[in-house]
Amino acid sequence: MIYVTRREVFAASHRLYNPKLSEAENFEIYDKCSSPNGHGHNFTLEVMVAGEIDKKTGYLIDLKELKNIIRKYIIDKVDHKHLNFDVEFLRGIIPTAENLAIAFWDQLKDKITNGKLYSVKIYETENNYTEYRGE
Amino acid sequence: MIYVTRREVFAASHRLYNPKLSEAENFEIYDKCSSPNGHGHNFTLEVMVAGEIDKKTGYLIDLKELKNIIRKYIIDKVDHKHLNFDVEFLRGIIPTAENLAIAFWDQLKDKITNGKLYSVKIYETENNYTEYRGE
Amino acid sequence: MIYVTRREVFAASHRLYNPKLSEAENFEIYDKCSSPNGHGHNFTLEVMVAGEIDKKTGYLIDLKELKNIIRKYIIDKVDHKHLNFDVEFLRGIIPTAENLAIAFWDQLKDKITNGKLYSVKIYETENNYTEYRGE
Amino acid sequence: MIYVTRREVFAASHRLYNPKLSEAENFEIYDKCSSPNGHGHNFTLEVMVAGEIDKKTGYLIDLKELKNIIRKYIIDKVDHKHLNFDVEFLRGIIPTAENLAIAFWDQLKDKITNGKLYSVKIYETENNYTEYRGE
Amino acid sequence: MIYVTRREVFAASHRLYNPKLSEAENFEIYDKCSSPNGHGHNFTLEVMVAGEIDKKTGYLIDLKELKNIIRKYIIDKVDHKHLNFDVEFLRGIIPTAENLAIAFWDQLKDKITNGKLYSVKIYETENNYTEYRGE
Amino acid sequence: MIYVTRREVFAASHRLYNPKLSEAENFEIYDKCSSPNGHGHNFTLEVMVAGEIDKKTGYLIDLKELKNIIRKYIIDKVDHKHLNFDVEFLRGIIPTAENLAIAFWDQLKDKITNGKLYSVKIYETENNYTEYRGE
């Protein structure tokens, strides 16, 4: 068993906001992260795949293939976008790092066929990251 | 002469958009950076001050003082904000990194009295930065 | 199950020294890390919490809350201090990264109530880190 | 149980190439990574050891000892070398990051006697890393 | 006057070797950097451009344009290559970081027309970099 | 003219304290940086040399030579030491980053004979650095 990880970066806006709650409640929970016009990050995404090495190639998964999957199903849809408004697969989700990690996992899990998706990690800043392993 | 630099980070949204141009012209110039709902970055700001060391303290400028100036006049106004809408001193400015560097310089230049402001550097991503030295 | 991590940095001195051993034995074991007047690091601390997402907020734990817990129970007590002399909860402990990780775990484990403490990681330098998971 | 990690960096060349396949097949699989004269990286190696703390020293393993083992059995043999030609213990292995991680594990696993080898991680670039845990 | 910098990374092999000298003299000068089969790095290239902001766009130079110039005239020619053998514009040059910086400057200086090329910086490792400013 | 930079890291303690002032005045000026038992950092030192390339070698200065000079005259004297007590060439100096940069410059300026010393930069943390250029 071997683990292979690919890092990608995307620049996006989001606003932490639960539409079922009042503005005041949102501000109480999310503080400046609920600023009405949104704010943004250079989000760093790390996708880890686990599996067996292919004897012929010495690869678990070709990193170009992994990169292309991540770009097609995630980066092209979220980069330079507002995560509350512009992304079909995030509709109805409060875009916390926790919820993003799960949503990205769901986007990727059936697309990776050389090895299995093992972990999705999202850095919102250099001081915070969130990881989901499908557990 | 000695140079002292302080780094601060802020998370903000912006949209590159010149209101004097059409949507099509904006998209032609700015491409995905002109995405209508905006996008965001963890902007890194480096402020460099130049001057003489104070013999008594061994400081050019106390870094707590420099940090407080940067936070009061820049970070508190731009962090977790949308730079096109929420920041008084950026009204009427297309928020490119170039224009931000000059606007931040103008905010800071009279506030720093221990030494003189020497450079304002803004990293939009790990791959791009812009510097202004008041020249 | 989701994992959320917060990074904090503190600047401290320490001396690796076992008072039950002679100076010569200490120097034999710890070499320059036992230099009598101590030495220091920018220690980086990563605290990882594991648990379920709160549907209402989309958070496992509010990062402001996690930051405040780490700062109150760790950073405020160790930052700009000498770990052998100045920290109540480190009395009698040889301040290796291993022992610090366990001592920090013990400080934090009952304070975190949204999710459970999963890991405490300490970087002494960019080349070394130690992790404790309460196992 | 505690985990201690040491990072080392080495600069080496490699060419991804399976000698059982034609040049065309190699190029189809490995693309530019199969460029005939090779290419190179600053490979970053992280070696993690797991075990119990020694009460007398407060160490799981002395980092100088861990560093010396890694340098003797890995770094001195691969640094400033071409991994396809110059390294005895890599003969007959396609030097993908996956195969390197396993080969490095095999080099180290019996040499570490304070604690047990837990993980070997190799960063080929800032965007890719591979981990092997002996599973 | 404003300064805009773009960072790019490439993976390449090189061997430090002066063909006018004997193997022994080369080894005396370059030590392990003259290892016959070459070694490699993830070279980091920073290209800085200086000039005036275009009022209409708020740009000194569109970073996409700068990226495309760097990729076309440098990265596409050196990435995943051996710098001693595979690169037309490096023929006859000992590929030290110093010589690479000057050769890259010569490649770029006439291609950048929005602003003027101000600096080419090359990081060979995290511990060394070389800069050329056309002086 | 070319510029070559070498980075080195050292771990040291210091206390910001002017012995001509009272404890209260020291605390007023330096706050927690004047904590009596000292605190520490992983100081990062960058030494930049400027000069002409040697045609025979393609080097301005051999980085091994530059590394050896920095280690002999700086790192071996300050690493794992307390800067207020253990370092001959820092006697009588308040060890602020500003004063360290100048003291290091004075240590190095006559030792570098291939090219001329151009800049000494000291990072105390990832958020602060000081530079001295002999001006």
Side-chain angles (χ1 to χ4, degrees):
Chain A
M1 177 84 93
I2 197 111
Y3 302 84
V4 170
T5 302
R6 172 78 191 171
R7 185 182 82 116
E8 293 285 334
V9 178
F10 64 96
S13 285
H14 69 163
R15 180 193 183 190
L16 300 188
Y17 180 79
N18 182 339
K20 294 177 186 155
L21 304 176
S22 68
E23 287 289 320
E25 286 168 310
N26 272 289
F27 189 75
E28 170 128 0
I29 294 169
Y30 298 117
D31 196 63
K32 64 184 180 180
C33 297
S34 200
S35 177
N37 292 312
H39 65 280
H41 299 290
N42 301 319
F43 291 88
T44 297
L45 170 61
E46 289 187 4
V47 176
M48 187 184 287
V49 175
E52 307 270 327
I53 296 180
D54 176 335
K55 287 272 167 52
K56 181 178 155 194
T57 61
Y59 280 157
L60 162 55
I61 179 173
D62 183 349
L63 280 161
K64 287 188 303 296
E65 179 190 336
L66 181 53
K67 180 177 77 172
N68 289 341
I69 292 170
I70 301 170
R71 294 204 173 169
K72 179 171 179 184
Y73 295 103
I74 308 277
I75 303 301
D76 290 352
K77 298 180 178 185
V78 298
D79 187 34
H80 285 76
K81 294 286 164 54
H82 193 303
L83 304 181
N84 300 56
F85 304 129
D86 299 335
V87 185
E88 194 64 43
F89 75 82
L90 294 176
R91 291 224 179 282
I93 290 173
I94 306 169
T96 60
E98 289 91 326
N99 282 337
L100 292 178
I102 294 173
F104 289 2
W105 174 280
D106 289 340
Q107 282 293 104
L108 293 173
K109 71 171 182 290
D110 297 332
K111 310 303 183 308
I112 290 166
T113 53
N114 287 309
K116 288 181 67 170
L117 182 60
Y118 180 79
S119 157
V120 168
K121 202 187 274 191
I122 297 175
Y123 290 79
E124 243 179 359
T125 74
E126 63 191 0
N127 294 323
N128 311 321
Y129 65 86
T130 293
E131 186 177 4
Y132 182 62
R133 298 184 191 157
E135 300 161 329
Chain B
M1 177 84 93
I2 197 110
Y3 303 84
V4 169
T5 302
R6 171 78 192 172
R7 185 182 82 115
E8 293 284 334
V9 179
F10 63 96
S13 285
H14 68 164
R15 182 194 182 189
L16 301 188
Y17 180 80
N18 183 339
K20 294 175 187 156
L21 305 176
S22 69
E23 287 289 321
E25 286 169 310
N26 272 290
F27 189 76
E28 171 127 359
I29 294 169
Y30 299 117
D31 196 62
K32 64 183 179 181
C33 297
S34 200
S35 177
N37 292 311
H39 65 281
H41 299 291
N42 302 319
F43 291 88
T44 297
L45 169 62
E46 288 187 4
V47 175
M48 187 184 287
V49 175
E52 307 271 326
I53 296 180
D54 176 336
K55 286 272 167 52
K56 181 177 155 194
T57 61
Y59 280 157
L60 162 55
I61 179 173
D62 183 349
L63 280 162
K64 287 188 302 297
E65 180 191 335
L66 181 53
K67 179 177 76 172
N68 289 342
I69 292 170
I70 301 171
R71 292 204 174 170
K72 180 171 177 184
Y73 295 102
I74 309 278
I75 303 300
D76 289 352
K77 297 180 178 183
V78 297
D79 186 34
H80 284 76
K81 294 285 164 55
H82 193 304
L83 304 181
N84 300 56
F85 306 127
D86 298 335
V87 185
E88 194 63 43
F89 73 83
L90 295 175
R91 292 224 179 282
I93 291 173
I94 306 170
T96 60
E98 289 92 328
N99 282 337
L100 292 177
I102 295 173
F104 290 1
W105 174 280
D106 289 340
Q107 282 293 103
L108 293 172
K109 72 168 180 294
D110 297 332
K111 309 307 182 306
I112 291 166
T113 54
N114 287 309
K116 288 181 68 172
L117 183 59
Y118 180 79
S119 156
V120 169
K121 202 189 273 192
I122 296 176
Y123 290 78
E124 242 179 1
T125 74
E126 62 190 2
N127 294 323
N128 311 322
Y129 65 85
T130 293
E131 186 177 5
Y132 182 63
R133 299 183 192 159
E135 300 161 329
Chain C
M1 178 83 95
I2 198 112
Y3 303 84
V4 169
T5 301
R6 172 78 191 170
R7 185 181 83 113
E8 294 284 334
V9 178
F10 64 96
S13 285
H14 69 164
R15 181 194 183 190
L16 300 188
Y17 180 79
N18 182 340
K20 295 175 186 156
L21 305 175
S22 69
E23 287 289 321
E25 287 169 309
N26 272 290
F27 189 76
E28 170 128 358
I29 293 168
Y30 299 116
D31 197 62
K32 64 183 179 180
C33 296
S34 199
S35 178
N37 292 312
H39 65 280
H41 299 290
N42 302 319
F43 292 89
T44 298
L45 170 61
E46 288 186 4
V47 175
M48 187 184 286
V49 175
E52 308 269 328
I53 296 180
D54 176 335
K55 288 271 169 53
K56 181 177 154 193
T57 61
Y59 280 157
L60 161 56
I61 179 174
D62 182 349
L63 281 162
K64 287 188 303 296
E65 180 191 335
L66 181 53
K67 180 177 75 172
N68 289 341
I69 292 170
I70 300 171
R71 293 204 173 170
K72 179 170 180 185
Y73 295 103
I74 308 278
I75 303 300
D76 289 352
K77 297 180 177 184
V78 298
D79 187 34
H80 284 76
K81 295 286 163 55
H82 193 304
L83 303 181
N84 300 57
F85 305 128
D86 299 335
V87 185
E88 195 63 43
F89 74 83
L90 295 175
R91 293 222 179 282
I93 290 172
I94 306 169
T96 59
E98 289 92 328
N99 282 337
L100 292 177
I102 294 173
F104 290 1
W105 174 280
D106 290 341
Q107 281 294 102
L108 293 173
K109 72 170 181 292
D110 298 332
K111 309 305 182 308
I112 290 166
T113 53
N114 287 309
K116 291 183 65 172
L117 183 60
Y118 180 80
S119 157
V120 168
K121 201 188 274 192
I122 297 176
Y123 290 78
E124 243 179 359
T125 73
E126 62 191 3
N127 294 324
N128 312 322
Y129 64 85
T130 293
E131 186 177 5
Y132 182 61
R133 299 184 192 159
E135 301 161 327
Chain D
M1 177 85 95
I2 197 112
Y3 302 84
V4 169
T5 301
R6 172 77 191 171
R7 185 181 83 113
E8 293 284 334
V9 178
F10 63 97
S13 284
H14 69 164
R15 180 193 184 192
L16 300 188
Y17 180 79
N18 182 340
K20 294 176 187 156
L21 305 176
S22 68
E23 287 289 322
E25 287 168 311
N26 272 289
F27 189 75
E28 169 128 359
I29 294 169
Y30 298 116
D31 195 63
K32 64 185 179 179
C33 297
S34 199
S35 177
N37 291 312
H39 65 281
H41 299 289
N42 301 319
F43 291 89
T44 298
L45 170 61
E46 288 187 4
V47 176
M48 187 184 287
V49 175
E52 307 271 327
I53 295 179
D54 176 335
K55 286 274 167 51
K56 181 177 155 194
T57 61
Y59 279 159
L60 162 56
I61 179 173
D62 182 350
L63 280 161
K64 287 188 303 296
E65 179 191 335
L66 181 53
K67 179 177 76 172
N68 289 341
I69 292 170
I70 301 171
R71 292 204 174 170
K72 180 169 179 185
Y73 296 103
I74 308 277
I75 303 300
D76 289 353
K77 298 180 177 184
V78 298
D79 187 34
H80 284 77
K81 295 286 165 53
H82 193 304
L83 304 181
N84 300 57
F85 305 128
D86 300 335
V87 185
E88 195 64 42
F89 73 83
L90 295 176
R91 291 221 180 285
I93 290 173
I94 306 169
T96 58
E98 289 92 327
N99 282 336
L100 293 176
I102 294 173
F104 290 2
W105 174 280
D106 289 341
Q107 282 293 104
L108 294 173
K109 72 170 182 291
D110 298 332
K111 310 305 182 306
I112 290 166
T113 53
N114 287 309
K116 291 182 66 171
L117 182 60
Y118 181 79
S119 157
V120 169
K121 202 188 272 192
I122 297 175
Y123 290 78
E124 243 179 1
T125 74
E126 62 190 2
N127 294 323
N128 310 323
Y129 64 86
T130 293
E131 186 176 5
Y132 182 61
R133 299 183 191 159
E135 300 161 326
Chain E
M1 178 84 95
I2 197 112
Y3 302 84
V4 170
T5 301
R6 172 77 191 172
R7 186 181 82 114
E8 293 284 334
V9 179
F10 63 97
S13 284
H14 69 164
R15 180 192 183 191
L16 300 188
Y17 180 80
N18 182 339
K20 294 174 187 156
L21 305 175
S22 69
E23 287 287 323
E25 287 169 310
N26 272 290
F27 189 76
E28 171 128 358
I29 294 169
Y30 299 117
D31 196 63
K32 64 183 178 179
C33 297
S34 199
S35 177
N37 293 311
H39 65 280
H41 298 290
N42 303 320
F43 292 88
T44 297
L45 169 62
E46 288 186 5
V47 175
M48 189 185 285
V49 176
E52 307 270 327
I53 296 180
D54 176 334
K55 286 273 168 52
K56 181 177 155 194
T57 61
Y59 280 157
L60 161 57
I61 178 173
D62 182 349
L63 281 161
K64 287 187 304 296
E65 180 190 335
L66 180 52
K67 179 177 76 172
N68 289 341
I69 291 169
I70 301 171
R71 292 202 174 171
K72 179 170 178 185
Y73 295 102
I74 309 277
I75 303 301
D76 289 352
K77 298 180 178 185
V78 298
D79 187 35
H80 285 76
K81 295 286 164 53
H82 193 304
L83 304 180
N84 300 56
F85 305 128
D86 299 335
V87 185
E88 195 63 44
F89 74 83
L90 295 175
R91 292 222 180 281
I93 292 173
I94 307 170
T96 60
E98 288 92 327
N99 282 336
L100 291 178
I102 294 172
F104 290 1
W105 174 280
D106 290 340
Q107 282 293 103
L108 293 173
K109 72 170 182 291
D110 297 333
K111 309 305 182 307
I112 291 166
T113 53
N114 288 309
K116 289 183 66 172
L117 183 59
Y118 179 80
S119 157
V120 168
K121 201 187 274 191
I122 297 176
Y123 290 78
E124 243 178 1
T125 74
E126 62 190 2
N127 294 323
N128 312 321
Y129 65 86
T130 294
E131 185 177 4
Y132 182 61
R133 299 183 192 159
E135 301 162 325
Chain F
M1 178 83 94
I2 196 110
Y3 303 84
V4 169
T5 302
R6 171 78 190 171
R7 186 182 82 115
E8 293 284 335
V9 178
F10 63 97
S13 285
H14 69 163
R15 180 193 182 190
L16 300 188
Y17 180 80
N18 182 339
K20 295 174 187 158
L21 305 176
S22 68
E23 287 288 322
E25 286 169 310
N26 273 289
F27 190 76
E28 169 127 0
I29 293 169
Y30 299 117
D31 196 63
K32 64 184 179 179
C33 297
S34 200
S35 177
N37 292 311
H39 65 281
H41 298 290
N42 302 319
F43 291 88
T44 297
L45 169 62
E46 288 187 4
V47 175
M48 189 184 285
V49 175
E52 306 271 326
I53 296 180
D54 176 335
K55 286 272 167 52
K56 181 178 155 194
T57 62
Y59 280 158
L60 162 56
I61 179 172
D62 183 349
L63 280 162
K64 287 188 303 296
E65 180 191 336
L66 181 53
K67 179 176 75 172
N68 289 342
I69 292 170
I70 301 170
R71 292 204 175 171
K72 179 171 178 184
Y73 295 102
I74 309 276
I75 303 300
D76 289 352
K77 298 180 178 185
V78 297
D79 187 32
H80 284 77
K81 293 287 165 51
H82 193 303
L83 303 180
N84 299 57
F85 306 128
D86 299 335
V87 185
E88 195 63 43
F89 73 83
L90 295 176
R91 291 224 180 281
I93 291 173
I94 307 169
T96 59
E98 288 91 329
N99 282 337
L100 292 177
I102 294 172
F104 290 2
W105 174 280
D106 289 340
Q107 282 294 104
L108 293 173
K109 72 170 181 293
D110 297 332
K111 311 305 183 306
I112 291 165
T113 53
N114 287 308
K116 290 183 64 170
L117 183 58
Y118 180 79
S119 156
V120 169
K121 203 188 272 192
I122 297 176
Y123 291 77
E124 243 179 1
T125 73
E126 61 190 2
N127 294 324
N128 311 321
Y129 66 86
T130 293
E131 186 177 4
Y132 182 62
R133 298 182 192 160
E135 301 162 326

